Amino acid sequence: MIDRLEKEVDMLERHLQVLKMVIENEPIGIVKMSNETGYPHHKVRYSLRVLEEENLIEPSSQGAITTERTQEFVDELDEKLDQTVDKLGEMRIDSATEVEN
């Protein structure tokens, strides 16, 4: 159950790392991103596709570039991450709670 969450968090981390690279280096291509992050080309390509579907980046002849939506997403990101961390914290089961068999 937690394994899936961990995989999703890892994927989100990769998507955000790719987005950050686009923001800082636009336009930027797959090969450069792959070389700098160490992620295989197919994983970078997948992250770019996800980001494009979310309208956070768009392709250009020189590589990926940001969109009008990118800054709004970045501005809201920290708050959304904080809310998610809080929600996960509320899900804790105290170690003091004993499980009865």
Side-chain angles (χ1 to χ4, degrees), residues 1-2 85-100:
M1 189 165 49
I2 296 298
V85 167
D86 290 346
K87 189 171 189 173
L88 288 170
E90 292 168 5
M91 299 167 123
R92 291 185 180 274
I93 299 174
D94 284 341
S95 57
T97 304
E98 291 191 29
V99 179
E100 294 183 21

Side-chain angles (χ1 to χ4, degrees), residues 13-75:
E13 180 182 29
R14 186 180 76 232
H15 296 337
L16 293 176
Q17 196 172 11
V18 168
L19 178 61
K20 184 177 179 187
M21 289 192 75
V22 173
I23 291 168
E24 293 174 351
N25 303 290
E26 64 180 314
I28 186 169
I30 293 172
V31 173
K32 184 173 182 180
M33 281 190 262
S34 179
N35 290 341
E36 290 190 18
T37 62
Y39 293 127
H41 291 201
H42 71 278
K43 289 193 174 199
V44 172
R45 189 175 295 111
Y46 178 73
S47 291
L48 288 170
R49 185 169 59 237
V50 169
L51 294 168
E52 186 177 353
E53 288 172 0
E54 293 291 324
N55 295 318
L56 298 174
I57 64 163
E58 59 187 31
S60 77
S61 57
Q62 295 86 22
I65 59 174
T66 57
T67 67
E68 293 176 2
R69 165 106 174 81
T70 307
Q71 189 59 52
E72 177 187 350
F73 174 81
V74 170
D75 291 344

